[in-house]
């Protein structure tokens, strides 16, 4: 079966994916005869469209699962999606707003129905996009964090933790998002450095004509001040402690207390204490039994009765500052850079607020999870992330898990209208557990999305039921996810799994880098540097996107990706396609590998190079070194197989008397190469495989190649490396001296010893076929002819007489002109690199580019000078 002249991904990808799905190649079975390998997908939000970070993670997942499947393991990739509470509710509320409605117009039940409708209509988009990238997940096991099974798991986990005393309900200072109208956990708040103002305000001391000055970035919160505080070691403390100050504008008396939480370096060293609107102040208030006066409501408006009531917090700030100034309390305003917390979802500035919420006590749950990572029961890759993990886990705070949303897992707690007691139950209770009343109302809040996500690795397998999948596939072998959710998700999964199952949820965690543009800049719509993986897939094909992702990824914090890299991988696919067309035209059936003794030098060489590639790629995949593995494959296919082996065997393939061994080695190597490439570029390799003679079956079911030690021969590789070096040098002379490709040339090879000379003579056809050499003189201590190009190599010198091949004078003139221009370019580059302003102000990437240009100019200058010397009269 022939391949088309050009590889057209649009004609291949959908067809091949359907072939895989129709034959259930992704489906895993519980099998006592096979070793399992499992991964659970980091569930993308149901609102999501595939972005470049998704494309990276899911490409790496698929490379791993295909590799493990080809190793003979029962490999299962559990797919699914996350209901994404805040994000999904926000999207649907925006849609309602376009209709002039809000969720309260519909009511809770109708609104939730509307979200489910939206999910059914739009939620499958990312699944289709995952398929478009070639993801070989077991779709028969697809889960959704709000499906019935996972909802049961969430309820079971909540009730167990509540019954064990880990979950409690309390009034506490939490992060409140006025835009999303919900509480946020600490790690859902992103802190950004912002230019603000520091307001210095005078507080009079009661019964005296004295005053103290405090500094604040949020003067609107002073309305809720219930004390002033000073560090006990501050020399002013003795004179102030126990006295009272008068709150400006309000007149409230404020006790002055001492507390070690005060930073003496901030402002004046005296702090206004607002327990209802600042976490530090809340703790000070607890220590000193201070009143909590809430003055900012859930909409971030002033709630205190009086002049400022109903004003937005920022409007109130302006009015209060004006009033302070007018009444003589404002001492000074200065510019001040400080860290401001923002809602991770909508970027609204969060408001610390006292609220009754549900919490999980984390300290005891964290201890075994810390130990699991310390002992490498869970291996974090790269290892440096352990330090970050420990720093957070060893200082972990209780987790606020309640959210004031309608979309999500409703908390399984019921409030008794008679006695105010709370009943927590797996099933809806018929009566209050305390007084027996049937007058119960379920808790309105839902759980933080990350609560259900924390159960993901085992809930997707049917927990809390003891299922076959859980027995066979759990714990999973590997988690691949972004380093940015190591606290949101990774740590919490380890904690819940150890608590509920007594074992870790995964053995290894590969933390992927942030995808940056080609200049190392973060991608953003404002910069116009976002790469859309779906647009790139449509232009270059899924395999090109996948291969570029794999060859660009690193184990650092960031990886650079450019469209040029994807274009290069598209060119690689075309190279492979053309090699396949040529190879298939010479194969009649699956060829058995001939005896080593029957092979020619180039056959033994390609077999050795292939075995080396097998060893390297297997080791690199085991180590999750995707970039190195990609480059190993790229080099072998492009250079060794296509540029050298195929060219070297062409004369034998076209000779009916000498082609048998060549065909056998070609068939073996080509089939093995397709197997090696398949995890990285599955579409094109499956398409080519299906065109092999005979009944090749499906490539996805083939075994991954293994090393055959007897076929590795470093001595053979050294011999061919010598010939390659001399042929390359001959080709370079032809190119640099403008010798037309069609002109035959004579070459003199001055070799180090007779053994190398014999090797060159025995393989004269290499020179004639690959460098159009019609005469090769080989010897030692050969004399260089006049007007000849000379190249000095590691074990030889290549001499190419130029008389009769080119116009010597014209060529000399051309080189002199090129050398003159090059020296100008080099001078310009050196000026830049000698300019201190350029070195300090220009981005590192730009400086590195100039340094590289300098190196290239210098190398080219030496080549041109050498070529010019070859043309000088001797």
């Amino acid at each position: 079966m022939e391949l088309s002249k050009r590889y057209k991904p649009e004609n291949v990808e959908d067809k091949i994916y359907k072939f895989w799905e129709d034959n259930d190649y992704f489906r895993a079975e519980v099998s006592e005869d096979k070793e399992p390998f499992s991964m659970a997908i980091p569930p993308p939000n149901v609102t999501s469209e595939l972005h470049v970070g998704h494309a990276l993670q899911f490409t790496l997942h698929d490379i791993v699962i295909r590799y493990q499947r080809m190793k003979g393991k029962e490999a299962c990739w559990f797919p699914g999606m996350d209901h994404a509470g805040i994000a999904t509710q926000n999207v649907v509320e925006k849609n309602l707003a376009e209709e002039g409605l809000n969720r309260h117009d519909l009511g809770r039940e109708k609104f939730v129905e509307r979200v489910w409708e939206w999910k059914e209509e739009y939620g499958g988009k990312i699944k289709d996009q995952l398929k478009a990238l070639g993801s070989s997940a077991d779709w028969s096991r697809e889960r959704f964090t709000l499906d019935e099974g996972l909802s049961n798991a969430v309820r079971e986990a909540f009730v167990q933790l509540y019954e064990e005393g880990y979950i409690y309900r309390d009034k506490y200072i939490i992060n409140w998002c006025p835009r999303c109208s919900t509480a946020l956990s600490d790690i859902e708040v992103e802190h950004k450095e912002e230019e603000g103002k520091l307001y210095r305000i005078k507080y009079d001391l009661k019964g005296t004509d004295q005053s103290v000055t405090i500094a604040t970035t949020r003067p609107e919160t002073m309305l809720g001040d219930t004390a002033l505080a000073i560090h006990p070691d501050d020399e002013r403390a003795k004179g102030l402690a126990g006295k009272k100050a008068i709150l400006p504008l309000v007149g409230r008396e404020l006790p002055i207390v001492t507390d070690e939480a005060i930073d003496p370096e901030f402002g004046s060293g005296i702090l206004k204490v607002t327990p209802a609107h600042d976490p530090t102040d809340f703790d000070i208030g607890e220590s000193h039994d201070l009143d909590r006066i809430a003055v900012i409501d859930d909409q971030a408006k002033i709630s205190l009765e009086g002049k400022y009531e109903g004003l937005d917090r920022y409007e109130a700030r302006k009015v209060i500052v004006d009033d302070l100034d007018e009444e003589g309390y404002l001492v000074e305003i200065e510019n001040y850079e400080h860290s401001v917390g923002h809602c991770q979802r909508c970027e609204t500035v969060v408001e610390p607020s006292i609220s009754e919420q549900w919490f999980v006590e984390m300290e005891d749950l964290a201890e075994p999870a810390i130990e699991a990572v310390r002992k490498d029961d869970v291996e974090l890759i790269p290892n440096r992330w352990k330090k970050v993990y420990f720093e957070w886990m060893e200082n972990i705070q209780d987790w606020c898990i309640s959210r004031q949303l309608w979309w999500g897992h409703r908390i399984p707690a019921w409030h008794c209208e008679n006695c105010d007691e709370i009943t927590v139950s797996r099933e809806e209770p018929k009566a209050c557990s305390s007084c027996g009343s049937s007058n119960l109302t379920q808790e309105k809040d839902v759980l933080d999305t990350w609560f259900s996500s924390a159960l993901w690795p085992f809930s997707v397998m049917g927990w809390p039921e003891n299922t076959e999948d859980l027995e066979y596939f759990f714990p999973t072998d590997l988690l691949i996810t972004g380093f940015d959710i190591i606290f949101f998700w990774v740590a919490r999964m380890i904690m819940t799994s150890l608590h509920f199952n007594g074992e870790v949820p995964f053995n290894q965690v590969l933390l992927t880098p942030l995808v940056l543009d080609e200049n190392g800049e973060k991608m953003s719509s404002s910069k116009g540097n976002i790469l859309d993986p779906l647009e790139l897939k449509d232009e270059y094909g899924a395999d090109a996107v996948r291969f570029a992702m794999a060859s660009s990824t690193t184990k650092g914090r960031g990886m650079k990706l450019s469209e040029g890299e994807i274009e290069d991988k598209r060119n690689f696919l075309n190279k492979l396609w053309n090699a396949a067309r040529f190879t298939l035209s010479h194969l009649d059936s699956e060829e058995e590998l001939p005896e080593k003794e029957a092979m020619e030098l180039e056959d033994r060489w390609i077999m050795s190079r292939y075995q080396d590639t097998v060893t390297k790629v297997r080791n690199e995949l085991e180590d999750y070194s995707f970039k190195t593995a990609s480059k190993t494959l790229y080099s072998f296919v492009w250079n060794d197989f296509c540029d050298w082996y195929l060219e070297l065997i062409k004369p034998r393939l076209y000779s009916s008397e000498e082609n048998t061994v060549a065909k056998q080695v070609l068939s073996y190597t080509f089939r093995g190469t397709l197997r090696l490439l398949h995890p990285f570029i599955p579409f094109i390799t499956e398409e080519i495989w299906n065109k092999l003679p005979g009944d090749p079956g499906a490539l996805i079911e083939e075994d991954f190649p293994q090393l055959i030690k007897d076929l590795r021969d470093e001595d053979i590789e050294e011999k061919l490396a010598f010939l390659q070096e001399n042929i390359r040098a001959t080709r370079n002379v032809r190119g640099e001296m403008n010798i037309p490709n069609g002109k035959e040339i004579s070459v003199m090879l001055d070799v180090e010893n007779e053994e190398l000379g014999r090797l060159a003579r025995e393989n004269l056809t290499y020179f004639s076929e690959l460098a159009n050499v019609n005469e090769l003189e080989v010897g030692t201590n050969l004399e260089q002819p006049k007007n000849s190009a000379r190249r000095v190599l590691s074990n030889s010198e290549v001499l190419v007489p130029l008389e009769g091949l080119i116009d010597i004078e014209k060529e000399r003139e051309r080189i002199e002109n090129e050398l003159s221009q090059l020296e100008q370019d080099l001078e310009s580059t050196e000026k830049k690199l000698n300019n201190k302003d350029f070195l300090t102000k220009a981005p590192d990437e730009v400086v590195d580019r100039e340094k590289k240009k300098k190196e290239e100019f210098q190398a080219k200058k030496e080549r041109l000078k050498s070529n010019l010397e070859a043309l000088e009269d001797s």
Side-chain angles (χ1 to χ4, degrees):
M1 297 172 69
E2 289 188 0
L3 293 173
S4 59
K5 286 188 177 180
R6 287 182 60 246
Y7 177 56
K8 296 181 178 179
E10 64 272 19
N11 295 341
V12 170
E13 292 172 356
D14 289 347
K15 176 187 71 175
I16 290 295
Y17 201 90
K18 185 175 186 302
F19 165 70
W20 290 328
E21 282 204 297
D22 288 349
N23 288 279
D24 270 346
Y25 290 132
F26 306 156
R27 188 182 182 93
E29 302 293 342
V30 173
S31 171
E32 293 181 2
D33 300 327
K34 294 175 76 174
E35 181 184 350
F37 181 92
S38 62
M39 297 188 298
I41 196 172
N45 290 351
V46 71
T47 58
S48 294
E49 287 195 28
L50 200 71
H51 58 64
V52 73
H54 286 133
L56 170 67
Q57 286 189 14
F58 300 145
T59 292
L60 300 186
H61 275 88
D62 197 55
I63 290 171
V64 170
I65 207 72
R66 287 177 185 271
Y67 169 63
Q68 295 293 341
R69 195 181 285 129
M70 294 178 79
K71 280 176 63 182
K73 293 185 181 180
E74 194 63 37
C76 188
W77 180 12
F78 289 82
M81 283 180 282
D82 196 297
H83 67 280
I86 293 177
T88 305
Q89 180 157 321
N90 281 348
V91 169
V92 177
E93 287 197 77
K94 284 178 183 176
N95 290 345
L96 284 175
E98 292 174 5
E99 301 172 24
L101 299 172
N102 60 48
R103 60 177 164 136
H104 300 286
D105 294 328
L106 271 65
R108 183 169 193 147
E109 188 175 338
K110 292 293 182 183
F111 176 78
V112 171
E113 286 178 11
R114 184 72 172 261
V115 183
W116 274 107
E117 289 171 9
W118 185 92
K119 183 263 178 187
E120 294 305 318
E121 185 174 353
Y122 297 103
K125 186 182 291 186
I126 198 164
K127 178 179 176 181
D128 293 337
Q129 292 168 349
L130 279 167
K131 290 184 175 184
L133 264 189
S135 301
S136 59
D138 185 346
W139 298 109
S140 70
R141 287 179 164 90
E142 182 182 0
R143 303 305 298 267
F144 179 53
T145 51
L146 268 178
D147 69 29
E148 184 179 357
L150 267 69
S151 294
N152 289 338
V154 167
R155 182 169 287 197
E156 177 63 31
F158 184 94
V159 174
Q160 274 196 47
L161 290 171
Y162 180 81
E163 289 174 345
E164 293 165 351
Y166 288 103
I167 287 180
Y168 64 93
R169 189 167 182 258
D170 197 6
K171 281 191 173 182
Y172 197 76
I173 189 104
I174 50 92
N175 305 292
W176 181 266
C177 175
R179 160 64 184 79
C180 298
S181 296
T182 185
L184 305 172
S185 67
D186 289 344
I187 56 176
E188 288 174 297
V189 178
E190 290 186 349
H191 290 271
K192 302 176 184 178
E193 291 296 319
E194 292 186 358
E195 285 292 336
K197 302 290 184 184
L198 189 65
Y199 302 87
R200 295 184 184 272
I201 304 168
K202 183 177 69 171
Y203 282 54
D204 291 333
L205 296 179
K206 182 183 178 183
T208 74
D209 58 358
Q210 297 178 317
S211 64
V212 294
T213 299
I214 64 91
T216 181
T217 58
R218 305 184 66 214
E220 65 277 10
T221 63
M222 66 182 290
L223 301 176
D225 288 357
T226 55
L228 298 184
I230 189 170
H231 195 282
D233 294 338
D234 191 312
E235 60 185 19
R236 298 168 296 175
K238 286 183 180 179
L240 291 174
K243 293 186 176 180
K244 291 189 176 181
I246 305 300
L247 179 61
L249 307 182
V250 176
R252 184 183 306 134
E253 291 187 7
L254 308 177
I256 301 176
V257 299
T258 59
D259 199 288
E260 292 185 350
I262 306 304
D263 178 5
E265 302 300 317
F266 177 76
S268 66
I270 302 173
L271 182 77
K272 59 184 277 307
V273 183
T274 319
H277 294 288
D278 183 275
T280 301
D281 295 8
F282 179 86
D283 290 338
I284 294 172
E286 289 283 281
S287 300
H288 298 275
D289 197 25
L290 301 175
D291 290 338
R292 305 169 184 168
I293 301 175
V295 296
I296 300 176
D297 66 17
D298 291 349
Q299 283 75 49
K301 293 181 179 181
I302 301 299
S303 57
L304 186 73
E305 288 185 12
K307 176 179 180 180
Y308 311 110
E309 186 177 6
L311 291 179
D312 171 81
R313 54 185 165 173
Y314 299 120
E315 293 178 80
R317 178 180 299 176
K318 185 178 183 306
V319 175
I320 288 170
V321 168
D322 287 345
D323 286 353
L324 288 169
D325 190 25
E326 186 176 326
E327 296 191 25
Y329 292 111
L330 186 64
V331 177
E332 185 183 12
I333 303 175
E334 59 187 81
N335 293 328
Y336 184 71
E337 187 176 287
H338 62 135
S339 180
V340 180
H342 295 72
C343 173
Q344 187 196 46
R345 292 291 178 191
C346 69
E347 298 189 355
T348 301
V349 174
V350 299
E351 190 62 48
S353 179
I354 290 179
S355 176
E356 193 161 43
Q357 303 287 341
W358 293 86
F359 297 86
V360 181
E361 190 278 315
M362 300 301 289
E363 189 174 347
D364 290 345
L365 293 173
E367 285 180 12
I370 292 169
E371 193 62 22
V373 173
R374 183 168 282 123
K375 294 191 303 183
D376 279 335
D377 292 340
V378 177
E379 181 187 2
L380 299 186
I381 306 169
N383 185 264
R384 66 176 176 277
W385 288 110
K386 289 173 76 169
K387 181 182 178 184
V388 178
Y389 175 87
F390 291 142
E391 283 176 356
W392 186 73
M393 291 288 281
E394 288 167 356
N395 296 282
I396 198 166
Q397 303 296 310
D398 285 2
W399 176 14
C400 176
I401 56 170
S402 46
R403 297 291 179 270
Q404 289 63 54
L405 304 171
W406 288 354
W407 172 247
H409 294 280
R410 199 164 174 182
I411 291 174
W414 284 262
H415 298 264
C416 178
E417 301 295 334
N418 285 12
C419 70
D420 292 333
E421 286 298 314
I422 295 174
T423 300
V424 171
S425 174
R426 292 167 179 81
E427 304 293 336
E428 183 172 353
K430 294 180 179 178
C432 172
S433 57
S434 180
C435 71
S437 169
S438 60
N439 192 11
L440 301 175
T441 303
Q442 187 174 359
E443 170 68 63
K444 294 178 180 179
D445 291 353
V446 300
L447 288 165
D448 179 8
T449 296
W450 294 103
F451 189 92
S452 53
S453 299
L455 312 175
W456 183 253
F458 47 96
S459 63
V460 295
M461 298 184 194
W463 185 89
E465 301 301 320
N466 189 22
T467 65
E468 276 192 330
D469 274 3
L470 205 56
E471 285 286 325
Y472 184 66
F473 287 115
F474 190 80
T476 60
D477 293 86
L478 175 68
L479 172 72
I480 303 177
T481 190
F483 67 80
D484 54 328
I485 55 174
I486 190 170
F487 310 131
F488 280 110
W489 194 41
V490 178
R492 288 168 175 169
M493 284 189 287
I494 297 172
M495 287 186 275
T496 58
S497 182
L498 285 167
H499 186 75
F500 293 118
N501 300 292
E503 55 186 331
V504 296
F506 26 71
N507 300 318
Q508 294 178 306
V509 181
L510 178 64
L511 296 160
T512 56
L514 181 68
V515 184
L516 309 170
D517 71 8
E518 60 188 311
N519 297 315
E521 297 280 339
K522 190 172 181 179
M523 293 187 186
S524 69
S525 53
S526 61
K527 292 178 183 174
N529 63 349
I530 289 178
L531 292 177
D532 184 326
L534 295 171
E535 290 178 5
L536 294 168
K537 178 256 177 196
D538 290 342
E539 183 169 356
Y540 298 104
D543 283 335
V545 174
R546 288 169 61 108
F547 206 26
M549 290 283 181
S551 63
S552 299
T553 191
T554 69
K555 290 183 180 177
R557 289 182 68 93
M559 58 169 268
K560 295 178 185 178
L561 181 69
S562 68
E563 191 164 350
E565 181 75 16
I566 299 168
E567 187 174 1
D568 174 66
K569 297 307 177 284
R570 193 254 323 261
N571 295 341
F572 174 86
L573 298 180
N574 290 336
K575 182 96 169 177
L576 176 65
W577 188 260
N578 290 332
R581 292 185 71 237
F582 175 82
T583 300
L584 291 171
S585 69
H586 291 281
L587 299 185
D588 304 317
S589 60
E590 183 170 0
E591 308 280 355
E592 291 187 6
L593 194 63
E595 294 296 323
K596 195 173 179 180
E597 292 73 21
M599 297 182 192
E600 297 291 342
L601 174 65
E602 62 266 26
D603 299 326
R604 283 178 284 159
W605 172 77
I606 195 64
M607 290 306 307
S608 183
R609 295 297 308 125
Y610 169 71
Q611 298 304 327
D612 182 53
T613 302
V614 168
T615 301
K616 285 179 177 175
V617 171
R618 288 187 76 104
N619 289 340
E620 287 152 0
L621 284 176
E622 293 293 335
D623 189 47
Y624 309 122
S625 297
F626 302 102
K627 181 173 187 173
T628 316
S630 301
K631 292 187 182 302
T632 299
L633 286 167
Y634 187 103
S635 177
F636 173 75
V637 173
W638 192 293
N639 300 323
D640 296 341
F641 186 75
C642 294
D643 285 356
W644 287 98
Y645 185 64
L646 291 185
E647 295 302 320
L648 290 172
I649 64 171
K650 278 181 179 178
R652 294 164 60 203
L653 289 176
Y654 291 126
S655 168
S656 58
E657 296 176 359
E658 301 178 18
N659 66 9
T660 302
V661 172
K663 281 185 174 183
Q664 290 172 325
V665 175
L666 176 60
S667 175
Y668 177 88
T669 310
F670 185 64
R671 290 168 186 269
T673 300
L674 291 177
R675 291 187 186 100
L676 285 173
L677 287 167
H678 181 71
F680 296 85
I681 47 174
F683 289 109
I684 191 172
T685 50
E686 188 76 73
E687 174 72 359
I688 294 170
W689 185 269
N690 288 340
K691 297 294 191 293
L692 289 170
D695 182 15
L699 177 56
I700 192 174
E701 288 199 307
E702 287 290 312
D703 292 337
F704 200 78
Q706 296 191 48
L707 170 67
I708 302 176
K709 288 184 179 179
D710 291 346
L711 294 175
R712 184 78 207 283
D713 192 329
E714 292 184 26
D715 182 54
I716 289 292
E717 290 191 36
E718 285 180 14
K719 287 180 178 179
L720 209 97
F722 167 78
L723 296 170
Q724 287 175 316
E725 185 182 27
N726 284 276
I727 291 168
R728 285 193 195 99
T730 304
R731 285 169 158 178
N732 290 342
V733 168
R734 182 186 285 278
E736 291 172 11
M737 305 306 291
N738 279 346
I739 303 170
N741 287 331
K743 272 193 178 182
E744 292 183 332
I745 59 175
S746 298
V747 173
M748 300 169 66
L749 206 58
D750 191 351
V751 295
E752 195 175 77
N753 56 58
E754 181 50 35
E755 185 181 348
L756 294 174
R758 186 166 53 254
L759 177 63
R761 291 187 201 97
E762 289 172 355
N763 294 284
L764 174 60
T765 55
Y766 288 12
F767 289 85
S768 60
E769 290 294 326
L770 298 179
N772 201 7
V773 174
N774 68 338
E775 184 181 347
L776 181 67
E777 181 184 349
V778 183
T780 55
N781 301 316
L782 299 179
E783 186 176 342
Q784 181 177 359
K786 179 183 176 182
N787 289 330
S788 62
R790 176 172 175 258
R791 294 292 179 270
V792 179
L793 308 175
S794 53
N795 298 306
S796 62
E797 291 184 13
V798 172
L799 305 169
V800 182
L802 302 171
E803 291 286 355
L805 292 175
I806 59 173
D807 186 320
I808 301 294
E809 289 303 319
K810 280 188 176 180
E811 185 60 19
R812 185 183 292 124
E813 184 181 345
R814 183 191 70 79
I815 293 174
E816 287 174 344
N817 290 337
E818 189 174 350
L819 190 57
S820 174
Q821 180 60 52
L822 183 66
E823 285 173 339
Q824 290 178 37
D825 294 340
L826 180 57
E827 183 182 358
S828 172
T829 299
E830 286 176 332
K831 274 185 180 178
K832 280 186 182 178
L833 292 172
N834 291 330
N835 184 324
K836 289 184 179 179
D837 282 347
F838 173 76
L839 294 175
T840 54
K841 294 178 181 178
D844 291 343
E845 293 78 14
V846 175
V847 175
D848 290 341
R849 211 158 39 233
E850 290 300 316
K851 287 179 179 178
K852 188 175 180 182
K853 276 167 63 175
K854 179 183 175 180
E855 291 173 5
E856 290 170 353
F857 288 156
Q858 287 174 329
K860 189 174 182 181
K861 180 180 176 181
E862 291 305 312
R863 289 199 304 272
L864 289 174
K865 286 172 70 176
S866 175
N867 291 343
L868 193 59
E869 288 169 7
L871 299 178
E872 296 293 343
D873 292 332
S874 56

